[in-house]
Amino acid sequence: MTISFAVRGEYIQLDQLLKATGLTGTGGAAHSAVEAGLVRVDGRAESRKRAKLRPGQTVSFGGETVVLIPAA
């Protein structure tokens, strides 16, 4: 399934995105998923928990894909 997520401002941190979209229940769970190499950004494994993500990027985790779009 693909989720569109509107980024307010310039960027959102990866751990915040995982929580905001409900892909993880807590920040700790988001950090664990990133540390385990389970999160991909633009097709590559991402190891930075607080990576700054901007509109146009995609995040994949747990069979879900999040497409970042600019907020209207």
Side-chain angles (χ1 to χ4, degrees), residues 12-36:
I12 185 169
Q13 291 181 178
L14 178 56
D15 56 348
Q16 294 173 344
L17 176 71
L18 293 174
K19 285 188 339 185
T21 55
L23 295 179
T24 60
T26 65
H31 288 194
S32 295
V34 173
E35 285 176 5

Side-chain angles (χ1 to χ4, degrees), residues 17-57:
L17 176 71
L18 293 174
K19 285 188 339 185
T21 55
L23 295 179
T24 60
T26 65
H31 288 194
S32 295
V34 173
E35 285 176 5
L38 302 176
V39 181
R40 301 182 76 75
V41 175
D42 294 335
R44 287 179 265 181
E46 180 57 70
S47 60
R48 299 170 297 154
K49 299 171 204 138
R50 293 181 176 90
K52 294 177 180 176
L53 306 173
R54 292 172 170 78
Q57 292 187 284

